[in-house]
Amino acid sequence: MGGTSSSVTIRVVPAAIGAHAGIRGPFTQLTFAKYEPLVCLRSENSTLFVEDAAAVEGYAAIVRSLDRCSLDADQSKAAITRLGEALSATDCSNEETMPQADSIRAQGESA
């Protein structure tokens, strides 16, 4: 097999911005070329597919809001790398010495 490419992009929402639109919980926004979009909500013991146009638009607004406040893909990758390096360098057996995620900031982060 040749190289693979991913359609997944990880974006970090800095803790410094405080409460944000995505804090209510996870959801999956599904869009299709030939069908209307919908949203999938999953909980511990149920799954709900939201089809109502107004409700789906509400979730689209959340995605737009998260896009505005998130670090870009490169900044997110750098922030995750720095956090991983800091955690690797820390003695994980002593919880008091672990760095706080808020103290590891990505360059270009904005409030």
Side-chain angles (χ1 to χ4, degrees), residues 24-45:
R24 290 185 181 160
F27 63 91
T28 303
Q29 182 184 37
L30 304 164
T31 56
F32 310 96
K34 295 183 179 186
Y35 304 102
E36 295 297 315
L38 52 102
V39 171
C40 178
L41 303 171
R42 294 182 184 177
S43 67
E44 185 175 323
N45 51 16

Side-chain angles (χ1 to χ4, degrees), residues 8-80:
V8 175
T9 302
I10 296 175
R11 305 267 310 272
V12 173
V13 177
I17 70 163
H20 54 79
I23 209 158
R24 290 185 181 160
F27 63 91
T28 303
Q29 182 184 37
L30 304 164
T31 56
F32 310 96
K34 295 183 179 186
Y35 304 102
E36 295 297 315
L38 52 102
V39 171
C40 178
L41 303 171
R42 294 182 184 177
S43 67
E44 185 175 323
N45 51 16
S46 64
T47 300
L48 172 67
F49 288 95
V50 178
E51 300 178 74
D52 177 73
V56 169
E57 175 50 37
Y59 285 99
I62 292 171
V63 171
R64 289 190 299 272
S65 174
L66 290 171
D67 185 54
R68 286 189 301 272
C69 68
S70 298
L71 302 177
D72 68 26
D74 289 335
Q75 291 169 328
S76 295
K77 183 177 179 180
I80 292 167

